[in-house]
Amino acid sequence: VLKPIWRGGVCMSLVSRPYYLDFLRRHKDRPIIKVVSGIRRCGKSTLFKLFQDELLADNVTAEQIIDINFELMEYDNLRDYRALYEYINERIIPSKKMYLFLDEIQHVPSFERVVDNFFVQDNIDIYITGSNAYFMSSDMATLLTGRYVQIEMLPLSYKEYVDAYSESGLSRMVLYEKYVSEGSFPGLLHMSENWQGRQDYLQGLFNTVVLKDIVDRLKIADIKLLESIVRYIFANIGSLINPTKIANSLTSAGRKVDNKTVERYLRGLEDSLLLYNTERFDVRGKELLRLRSKYYVVDMAFKQLLLPDINRDRGHVLENIVYLELRRRGYTVYVGQLTKGEIDFVAQKPGGLLEYYQVSESVLDPTIRDRELALLEAVKDQYPKFLLTMDELYKPHNYNGIQQCNVLDWLIGM
């Protein structure tokens, strides 16, 4: 729920993120670095503030907490790793347990040298965040192998969104429409009635991700080409594509580009955590197929921003929402490839157990229902199989072991 917290005379309503808070609590005081990755403004800084409040309530003093957010100008001078080391070292109290929070650490080149230095000190508990895949570079991964745990943070889940509006009296279906069209970034909750404010917020966030996390990193000169690729992906959410197909389509539309360039730009979009690449999984042979894959966007409001007619693609929008929820629940997610047809998602739990998911806005039409069930029935193993729909009728229902569920019930854990 929205929790009022006063900071500097300003009342801020923060949405509690229990799944991510539990991760921090679980690893608190363990000799291991806690890493939270996720796209900008998904709530990482707020998560740290909430956790620090818990520390203070548990008799940790303010002097024991060192909190640095590298997105704030006041810490610009600490973007040199040597200056950062000196700043932290001056504030360490050797006789007390210290809690070190380094937020948006990707702004500090060679930051891993600082992290590694303080990690070996017994009285320092370290927490770091980063807004793109670059910050967990091969150098850091090598340096900190076996010494960090990582969790991926996403914008608000549908359940968290519903909880935030628990006093509104709005139906779950109305909230779903708001969730899809208005966006799931926590900062947008306070702009619900301000359409222009939401658009400006999303456009600013999109520009920051594209310009700072992709263009600067990859030294891209043709920004319009990058935007064309983004629009193509957004228009083909949930469809099998590859760099060659994208290059051919853009070339046909008058923007000549080769598949190697497209592949490079796609990698940048994935590393910025704006898009997720989902590979195909051969259900029969239980192996990955790498020729074509599907892409999903981290928040459907970005699709709405660039391609406003979101209602024409409601099925793939719902598919995108389910994909993100499976990731939130800790699954590795693939597209299931059958001899004839596809299963929307093969979700793999840690340890290798599988679950199969078909997503359809409605299966009240018997022809559609039979088609969706036939795909799941074609899988002959005994792992759980689910059909998720918006239908209120026949929920839940069992078809020879295949569980049909209302997707909104499933999203909130019912």
Side-chain angles (χ1 to χ4, degrees):
V1 297
L2 291 176
K3 177 184 177 183
I5 293 182
W6 288 90
R7 294 194 183 283
V10 178
C11 183
M12 300 161 42
S13 293
L14 305 182
V15 179
S16 179
R17 312 294 296 275
Y19 176 72
Y20 304 109
L21 276 170
D22 284 346
F23 169 81
L24 299 183
R25 293 171 187 140
R26 199 162 59 243
H27 296 290
K28 174 179 172 289
D29 293 333
R30 288 186 58 207
I32 198 162
I33 299 162
K34 278 64 74 173
V35 179
V36 181
S37 62
I39 192 169
R40 294 172 182 272
R41 302 188 198 172
C42 69
K44 300 185 300 297
S45 300
T46 297
L47 177 70
F48 274 6
K49 294 301 182 187
L50 289 169
F51 187 63
Q52 289 166 22
D53 287 341
E54 290 190 3
L55 291 176
L56 293 170
D58 196 29
N59 297 319
V60 172
T61 65
E63 291 74 20
Q64 291 173 260
I65 298 173
I66 302 173
D67 181 24
I68 305 169
N69 184 340
F70 294 98
E71 292 278 273
L72 301 178
M73 285 192 64
E74 64 185 283
Y75 297 116
D76 273 1
N77 63 312
L78 300 184
R79 293 190 178 192
D80 177 274
Y81 78 91
R82 299 174 186 84
L84 176 60
Y85 168 79
E86 294 296 337
Y87 179 91
I88 296 171
N89 198 48
E90 290 172 359
R91 286 158 178 77
I92 296 295
I93 304 172
S95 60
K96 293 187 176 182
K97 185 73 175 184
M98 302 297 297
Y99 296 89
L100 175 59
F101 295 87
L102 303 174
D103 198 1
E104 304 293 5
I105 191 66
Q106 75 275 358
H107 292 298
V108 183
S110 300
F111 73 87
E112 63 274 10
R113 298 181 65 176
V114 178
V115 170
D116 189 53
N117 178 83
F118 290 110
F119 172 75
V120 298
Q121 299 186 32
D122 293 338
N123 68 320
I124 302 179
D125 198 17
I126 302 177
Y127 302 79
I128 65 176
T129 77
S131 286
N132 55 48
Y134 302 125
F135 94 103
M136 287 301 290
S137 65
S138 58
D139 289 343
M140 180 177 174
T142 300
L143 183 63
L144 301 180
T145 297
R147 293 189 283 176
Y148 70 90
V149 289
Q150 184 174 5
I151 191 169
E152 172 191 58
M153 191 172 196
L154 288 163
L156 297 175
S157 69
Y158 174 71
K159 183 181 187 307
E160 290 168 334
Y161 193 84
V162 169
D163 287 346
Y165 280 97
S166 60
E167 302 299 320
S168 69
L170 297 175
S171 71
R172 292 189 312 169
M173 192 63 209
V174 169
L175 288 173
Y176 174 78
E177 299 295 341
K178 285 172 64 67
Y179 179 71
V180 167
S181 63
E182 296 182 3
S184 60
F185 286 95
L188 291 168
L189 287 175
H190 312 292
M191 305 179 188
S192 182
E193 306 306 319
N194 184 351
W195 180 86
Q196 189 59 56
R198 292 198 313 273
Q199 293 298 102
D200 292 344
Y201 181 97
L202 287 167
Q203 188 67 63
L205 177 54
F206 180 79
N207 291 344
T208 299
V209 169
V210 169
L211 295 177
K212 285 193 175 182
D213 291 344
I214 304 174
V215 172
D216 286 354
R217 177 78 181 192
L218 298 183
K219 309 302 181 189
I220 291 174
D222 193 344
I223 298 176
K224 289 195 175 297
L225 174 60
L226 177 62
E227 291 180 346
S228 294
I229 292 173
V230 173
R231 288 176 184 273
Y232 182 92
I233 295 290
F234 284 5
N236 291 276
I237 290 294
S239 300
L240 285 173
I241 53 179
N242 60 25
T244 301
K245 184 176 181 179
I246 297 172
N248 290 342
S249 178
L250 293 179
T251 299
S252 297
R255 292 201 60 87
K256 186 172 178 57
V257 59
D258 62 84
N259 64 322
K260 293 294 183 184
T261 299
V262 172
E263 186 175 343
R264 179 167 170 261
Y265 284 18
L266 284 175
R267 191 162 53 248
L269 289 164
E270 292 173 51
D271 286 343
S272 73
L273 307 179
L274 180 68
L275 293 177
Y276 293 99
N277 180 344
T278 309
E279 296 179 320
R280 290 185 301 150
F281 182 89
D282 184 341
V283 175
R284 185 175 181 181
K286 299 294 190 285
E287 63 183 5
L288 291 179
L289 305 171
R290 300 185 182 276
L291 290 180
R292 292 181 297 163
S293 55
K294 294 185 178 183
Y295 287 87
Y296 296 97
V297 62
V298 70
D299 188 293
M300 292 313 304
F302 283 133
K303 178 179 169 72
Q304 177 86 325
L305 180 72
L306 299 186
L307 304 170
D309 189 10
I310 201 168
N311 286 324
R312 68 179 182 179
D313 198 21
R314 292 177 63 86
H316 283 134
V317 167
L318 181 60
E319 189 178 314
N320 201 124
I321 298 297
V322 170
Y323 171 81
L324 293 175
E325 183 60 25
L326 287 169
R327 288 189 68 106
R328 283 189 187 91
R329 296 181 184 186
Y331 291 92
T332 302
V333 188
Y334 306 102
V335 176
Q337 183 66 52
L338 300 168
T339 304
K340 295 182 179 180
E342 293 173 3
I343 292 176
D344 289 328
F345 301 121
V346 179
Q348 187 171 39
K349 292 182 177 181
L353 297 179
L354 303 176
E355 293 178 359
Y356 301 98
Y357 291 85
Q358 277 297 99
V359 183
S360 180
E361 188 172 18
S362 175
V363 293
L364 293 180
D365 182 332
T367 303
I368 297 175
R369 183 185 65 235
D370 291 347
R371 182 191 68 204
E372 301 293 342
L373 290 174
L375 291 166
L376 292 169
E377 289 168 349
V379 182
K380 299 306 181 183
D381 63 39
Q382 299 303 308
Y383 291 120
K385 303 173 180 69
F386 301 92
L387 174 58
L388 303 180
T389 80
M390 282 287 193
D391 296 330
E392 289 292 330
L393 292 176
Y394 309 115
K395 66 159 198 173
H397 200 81
N398 188 302
Y399 297 94
N400 297 320
I402 298 171
Q403 296 293 322
Q404 180 179 339
C405 307
N406 176 272
V407 69
L408 299 187
D409 288 344
W410 180 82
L411 287 169
I412 63 175
M414 291 179 62

